[in-house]
Structures are given as C-alpha cells and as structure tokens.
Amino acid sequence: LVARVTPRCQIRIGCSVTRLTADPGGVGYRLTLVDGSAATFDQVLVTTPTHRAARLVEASAPRLAAALRTIEYASSVIVVKG
C-alpha cells in the first residue's frame, strides 16, 4: 500500500495524533499531534481500533464517536501445529 500511495501523497507514520477535526477553512482535516503541533490534510485514513478513533473525533463528531463505540471486538487466537 505504501509503495503505491507514496508518489501521490504524504504519509506520516509513528506520529501520535490526539485530535482529528474538520479544518476550520472548510477543506480537509486538521490533526493535532501529541507534541501540540498541528497539520492539515485533504484526506485522512484512520487505522486505529474504533475505541481510539472515537476519542480522536469526539469533539468534532460526537455522533460518529458514539457509533464507533458501539462496535464490539472479539479476541482471536491462531494456533499452528506441525
């Protein structure tokens, strides 16, 4: 995925995001990072578990946050023998 997407967009990994809001200018999304800095992007792909995603969007999209919190997770185990 990274190899196909990288030529067309900016990818940041290893950045802890504390908040995701709609950009005040009406275009894109604003991410607030754990160090207090912020950046605006046209599009954002959220790949966190839903309970973490709910915390990111709580302030700007409370209905989405509530919906995300209703998604249940089940643990799983894979055992390979041989």
Side-chain angles (χ1 to χ4, degrees):
L1 176 64
V2 172
R4 294 197 55 140
V5 172
T6 302
R8 299 189 317 256
C9 66
Q10 178 184 36
I11 295 178
R12 293 187 185 185
I13 58 174
C15 299
S16 295
V17 176
T18 59
R19 190 171 180 191
L20 184 150
T21 57
D23 179 51
V27 180
Y29 302 91
R30 186 165 183 79
L31 301 180
T32 304
L33 305 180
V34 73
D35 66 4
S37 65
T40 302
F41 298 91
D42 295 333
Q43 298 175 349
V44 175
L45 175 64
V46 178
T47 61
T48 62
T50 56
H51 66 278
R52 289 188 183 152
R55 284 192 303 239
L56 292 175
V57 302
E58 182 69 49
S60 61
R63 287 179 49 203
L64 173 59
L68 289 169
R69 286 189 180 99
T70 66
I71 299 172
E72 294 184 29
Y73 282 88
S75 60
S76 62
V77 175
I78 298 174
V79 178
V80 178
K81 183 178 176 181

